[in-house]
Amino acid sequence: MQEPSDIKMYFYFDESGSPAILGHHGKNLLKEGLTSSTFIVGYLQTPNPHQLAVDLEKLRQELLQDETLTPVPSIKNLENGFHANKDCQEVRREVFKLLKKSDFEAYIIVARKNEENFRKRFNMNEKRIYKYLVGELLKNRVHLYKDIDIYFSEMKNITTLQNMTDAVKDATEKFQYKWGKENHNNIRIFVQQSTQIPLLQAIDYVLWTVYRVYERGEFRYFDVLRDKIKLVHDIFDEEGNPHYGTFYTDKNPLEQKKSPISS
């Protein structure tokens, strides 16, 4: 077991896709193609969030003042920060160029949506789904640093401070059960709007690349940030492993020939 580092680390969490499967009157949105086939949660970590925040804000201001982008309707969205799904292609290109050279790592967990599985595990409760995924993602990593600040992007009534505190508690308990050692690290938890925290906008971009892989089989954006994405845990990939899913890492890279969209 790796001993905790004295470096203070900052984690920034966001999600992509929707945890919902059922709509009004029990309508199965998944079967009718009216919702995403996966729900993705992930975070980026960096010991130096200030530099990336400054770089992102500088880029945002430059793009807002770029006269060639003024006629683009979506450019007004930049007044509230970057958002991969809403930004135009010219903006995305610049953000990806910045992220590619920035100092961070990303860790991501993907939940393939299935009504029977989600009903059995979570009773279709979206707060429980999010909490579970956070706990699974952090259980082998929350002990690595003696001092961690964790920021969660606000999501309706799901990423409440209490729910995210419980998620981190679950992760530490899973760590203790596995190693027989308590985690005494200092962990602070915050829930913020992504418009207020540039690094929450950065992880939005990272997760968007994984979303495109799983929903469209498109790798071109993922490949730009491949070196930054240290883990994609496809947790409900029963073809990979019915108990733990599939772990995509540097040793087992997520590639076009393994495209999950065809699984």
Side-chain angles (χ1 to χ4, degrees), residues 84-242:
N85 192 44
K86 296 179 181 178
D87 293 339
C88 65
Q89 187 59 38
E90 293 89 343
V91 170
R92 286 189 196 130
R93 181 167 55 244
E94 296 305 314
V95 174
F96 279 120
K97 286 165 65 175
L98 171 60
L99 293 178
K100 185 174 178 64
K101 64 182 183 181
S102 298
D103 178 23
F104 71 87
E105 296 178 350
Y107 298 84
I108 297 163
I109 189 166
V110 178
R112 301 183 187 222
K113 289 158 60 176
N114 174 280
E115 181 178 356
E116 181 181 357
N117 185 29
F118 273 39
R119 190 177 297 280
K120 179 180 178 180
R121 288 176 177 269
F122 313 114
N123 195 31
M124 306 299 281
N125 185 297
E126 296 180 5
K127 290 181 68 172
R128 290 177 58 185
I129 294 167
Y130 203 117
K131 174 186 169 186
Y132 173 79
L133 295 178
V134 171
E136 286 295 305
L137 190 56
L138 287 179
K139 68 180 182 182
N140 293 319
R141 301 198 51 78
V142 77
H143 68 285
L144 295 179
Y145 308 97
K146 290 184 177 179
D147 201 1
I148 306 173
D149 281 358
I150 306 179
Y151 291 83
F152 290 93
S153 181
E154 187 176 68
M155 183 184 179
K156 298 186 295 185
N157 65 336
I158 294 177
T159 56
T160 63
L161 182 60
Q162 185 61 58
N163 199 38
M164 295 301 92
T165 299
D166 290 344
V168 174
K169 180 180 178 182
D170 286 350
T172 59
E173 290 176 349
K174 289 174 181 177
F175 167 79
Q176 181 177 354
Y177 177 79
K178 181 178 181 179
W179 296 101
K181 184 176 181 180
E182 292 187 16
N183 185 345
H184 296 292
N185 299 352
N186 179 38
I187 301 173
R188 299 194 304 168
I189 299 170
F190 307 88
V191 178
Q192 298 280 346
Q193 294 182 2
S194 61
T195 56
Q196 299 172 330
I197 308 291
L199 275 78
L200 291 177
Q201 300 163 34
I203 184 59
D204 168 75
Y205 258 77
V206 178
L207 293 178
W208 185 77
T209 72
V210 178
Y211 179 86
R212 301 282 287 200
V213 167
Y214 274 82
E215 299 293 323
R216 302 191 181 188
E218 180 183 76
F219 276 75
R220 69 179 181 128
Y221 298 104
F222 178 83
D223 286 340
V224 173
L225 299 181
R226 176 181 294 278
D227 292 342
K228 303 291 185 184
I229 300 173
K230 301 303 180 182
L231 170 69
V232 176
H233 182 190
D234 190 341
I235 192 168
F236 298 142
D237 179 14
E238 295 186 356
E239 293 185 11
N241 184 307

Side-chain angles (χ1 to χ4, degrees), residues 241-256:
N241 184 307
H243 301 292
Y244 305 108
T246 301
F247 295 85
Y248 293 108
T249 62
D250 291 340
K251 294 182 179 179
N252 179 36
L254 180 57
E255 299 172 329
Q256 186 79 51

Side-chain angles (χ1 to χ4, degrees), residues 59-70 75 78:
L59 176 61
R60 189 177 74 88
Q61 292 298 334
E62 290 175 353
L63 293 171
L64 281 171
Q65 297 169 24
D66 188 333
E67 293 181 352
T68 67
L69 296 176
T70 302
I75 202 67
L78 282 185

Side-chain angles (χ1 to χ4, degrees), residues 76-87:
K76 293 182 179 179
N77 294 328
L78 282 185
E79 295 176 1
N80 295 317
F82 295 107
H83 195 293
N85 192 44
K86 296 179 181 178
D87 293 339

